[in-house]
Amino acid sequence: MTKIIVSYCLKPQVTKEEYEKYFRKEKYSLVTSFPSVKSFELNKVVNVMEGEKTADYMGILEIESLEAYQKDRETEKFLAR
Amino acid sequence: MTKIIVSYCLKPQVTKEEYEKYFRKEKYSLVTSFPSVKSFELNKVVNVMEGEKTADYMGILEIESLEAYQKDRETEKFLAR
């Protein structure tokens, strides 16, 4: 199994509410529409146990393979042109 | 559900084989013996899509609550004294 772990840092002008709404309404359905993506979850960072906070959210994607995922992303970019 | 996402950077003198052996033989069974821990997985970092590589492994723990987990860790420290 391959996972992608992504750190998301919000831009100062974006609130958590706005980001979560965008995630629910757009990002989640787009990403999970990729055939290579088995699951996608967004975790809110509420606590940092060591070091400095470097992310507002951590995304975890389970994917079939990196090659398949990158191909899906390329297709998406192409279709959105 | 609460998750802990941990970055592990190996010391230069430790090989991946040694770390994985230690993880399998000691760390995994210790951590999953904590009542607060539902699951613990170790992911090897094989690719960095953006930025620099900052970890050799990423651990993902599913825990009941941070409070319960910290209590389990304190108990472990006490018992190991």
Side-chain angles (χ1 to χ4, degrees), chain A residues 22-34 40:
Chain A
Y22 156 74
F23 185 87
R24 274 197 306 274
K25 290 209 165 180
E26 295 179 46
K27 195 174 172 99
Y28 180 81
S29 53
L30 171 66
V31 172
T32 54
S33 75
F34 294 169
F40 183 24

Side-chain angles (χ1 to χ4, degrees), chain B residues 10-47:
Chain B
L10 299 193
K11 289 176 183 158
Q13 69 272 27
V14 178
T15 67
K16 291 201 166 161
E17 290 68 30
E18 285 167 337
Y19 185 72
E20 287 175 23
K21 194 174 166 187
Y22 157 74
F23 184 87
R24 273 197 308 273
K25 290 210 167 180
E26 296 179 46
K27 194 174 172 99
Y28 180 81
S29 52
L30 170 67
V31 172
T32 54
S33 75
F34 294 169
S36 62
V37 173
K38 293 180 205 163
S39 69
F40 183 24
E41 59 169 55
L42 187 71
N43 300 278
K44 192 189 282 186
V45 176
V46 290
N47 224 305

